């Protein structure tokens, strides 16, 4: 018997996938209709979260944030079976994941933070990525179960909260990437380039393939052999800004990048590779 708390797009599809495998699943959602809708697929819905977790040893959580996880788990406490394992897929703060791991252990329960890079389709199909860290014996015992829910489980080692941190790093990249696409479309609009031509460009040229090499170059600490000088990158960036300004199309990300380029040029790095603008943000090795 499994309990699933949080019947959003991710939680509901996780539940459907478990039901397809013949699992018995008890579900709860703050908006009760979302939970009751899963009864059509074979789940048992409960109006009270404490009732939803009764009689189960494994509880999955897919909620909004630290506050909602804390609130719902407190409400679930009266119904929790001794020694129950709480598997939380919510994207939360690193500090919150650490605090919950410790607090629930003190109460006699296992809280296991397992954030995901999975959309609703992945949850239904059992594809995508789950991130884990912390107690390695716990991970070893639960990895087969988690692997059955996703395409790959990535273990980031024994530090509690590391998985939460890596999830935030990944989401940061996705936010920056998407905002960059928005500015790219804005520049295309400014230059009267149709969407079909943008699709043709990126169907043939995949800048994502450059990511590993770009990351290696940025983190090398040596920017003296440029493939694209900062001065030249800044020149092109001004062309973006000028074109958008003439067409009265707002860009969001590019102006901030231009300001950062100017800061590094003023410090005397104009002749170096432009990835030097990330130098101050390098993490420890």
């Amino acid at each position: 018997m499994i309990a699933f708390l949080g019947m959003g797009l991710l939680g509901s599809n996780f539940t459907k996938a478990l039901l397809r495998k013949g699992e018995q699943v008890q579900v709860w959602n703050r908006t009760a209709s979302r939970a009751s809708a899963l009864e059509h697929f074979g789940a048992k819905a409960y109006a009270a979260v404490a009732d939803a977790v009764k009689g189960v040893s494994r509880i999955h959580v897919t909620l909004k944030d630290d506050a909602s996880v804390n609130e719902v788990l407190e409400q679930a406490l009266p119904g929790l079976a001794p020694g129950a394992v709480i598997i939380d897929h919510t994207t939360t703060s690193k500090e919150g994941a650490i605090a919950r791991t410790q607090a629930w252990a003190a109460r006699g329960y296992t809280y296991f933070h397992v954030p995901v890079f999975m959309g609703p389709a992945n949850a239904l199909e059992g594809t995508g990525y789950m991130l884990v860290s912390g107690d390695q014996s716990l991970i070893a015992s639960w990895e087969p179960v988690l692997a059955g829910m996703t395409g790959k489980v990535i273990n980031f080692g024994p530090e509690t909260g590391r998985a939460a941190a890596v999830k935030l790093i990944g989401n940061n990249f996705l936010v920056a990437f998407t905002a960059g696409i928005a500015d790219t479309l804005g520049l295309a609009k400014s230059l009267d380039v149709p969407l079909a031509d943008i699709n043709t460009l990126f169907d043939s040229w995949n800048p994502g393939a450059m990511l590993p090499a770009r990351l290696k170059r940025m983190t090398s600490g040596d920017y003296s052999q440029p493939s694209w000088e900062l001065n030249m990158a800044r020149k092109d960036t001004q062309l973006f800004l000028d074109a958008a300004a003439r067409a009265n199309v707002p860009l969001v990300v590019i102006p901030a990048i231009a300001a950062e380029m100017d800061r590094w040029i003023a410090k005397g790095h104009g002749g170096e590779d432009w990835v030097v603008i990330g130098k101050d943000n390098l993490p420890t090795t």
Side-chain angles (χ1 to χ4, degrees):
M1 186 77 73
I2 301 168
F4 228 108
L5 311 180
M7 290 294 102
L9 295 176
L10 197 64
S12 61
N13 275 5
F14 269 134
T15 298
K16 290 174 186 176
L18 290 168
L19 292 167
R20 287 178 179 179
K21 295 176 181 179
E23 300 282 2
Q24 292 180 294
V25 187
Q26 300 181 172
V27 297
W28 170 91
N29 193 74
R30 194 183 303 274
T31 301
S33 60
R34 291 186 178 180
S36 60
L38 272 296
E39 292 191 318
H40 172 75
F41 299 92
K44 175 63 176 176
Y46 290 86
V49 65
D51 292 334
V53 301
K54 283 182 180 177
V56 304
S57 57
R58 169 183 163 194
I59 300 102
H60 289 266
V61 180
T62 52
L63 297 169
K64 180 183 178 182
D65 52 21
D66 287 295
S68 61
V69 173
N70 291 336
E71 178 186 353
V72 169
L73 291 183
E74 284 299 322
Q75 293 174 3
L77 179 59
L80 287 177
V85 176
I86 302 163
I87 302 174
D88 183 10
H89 303 293
T90 309
T91 299
T92 71
S93 68
K94 175 181 177 180
E95 295 79 9
I98 294 171
R100 277 185 293 278
T101 301
Q102 297 170 344
W104 284 97
R107 287 172 156 178
Y109 301 97
T110 297
Y111 171 87
F112 189 17
H113 191 232
V114 185
V116 303
F117 286 113
M118 299 173 69
N122 299 118
L124 189 61
E125 298 164 359
T127 59
Y129 304 89
M130 287 187 176
L131 317 182
V132 295
S133 67
D135 185 334
Q136 294 296 290
S137 61
L138 174 69
I139 291 171
S141 65
W142 280 97
E143 187 166 0
V145 172
L146 298 175
M149 297 175 65
T150 189
K152 186 173 184 179
V153 178
I154 308 176
N155 186 346
F156 288 97
E159 181 182 321
T160 301
R162 178 61 61 84
V166 174
K167 167 62 174 174
L168 293 178
I169 291 167
N171 277 10
N172 180 89
F173 179 84
L174 291 177
V175 169
F177 178 64
T178 303
I181 293 174
D183 271 13
T184 298
L185 294 174
L187 180 60
K189 180 179 180 180
S190 303
L191 296 170
D192 296 321
V193 175
L195 184 58
D197 285 353
I198 303 302
N199 288 330
T200 297
L201 171 63
F202 289 110
D203 283 344
S204 302
W205 174 57
N206 177 18
M210 302 177 185
L211 179 58
R214 186 62 53 85
L215 181 62
K216 184 177 180 180
R217 177 181 288 270
M218 183 173 285
T219 57
S220 70
D222 180 8
Y223 313 105
S224 61
Q225 302 296 319
S227 62
W228 193 15
E229 283 189 4
L230 177 56
N231 283 328
M232 296 302 292
R234 180 62 180 90
K235 179 267 297 182
D236 288 0
T237 300
Q238 192 60 46
L239 292 174
F240 314 156
L241 293 169
D242 291 345
R246 284 193 297 270
N248 198 30
V249 174
L251 300 182
V252 176
V253 177
I254 293 300
I257 295 173
E260 186 66 5
M261 288 176 166
D262 288 341
R263 189 172 75 88
W264 281 91
I265 290 171
K267 290 164 61 174
H269 297 274
E272 297 180 359
D273 194 286
W274 86 282
V275 299
V276 70
I277 67 172
K279 183 178 179 180
D280 288 347
N281 293 340
L282 298 185
T284 56
T285 57

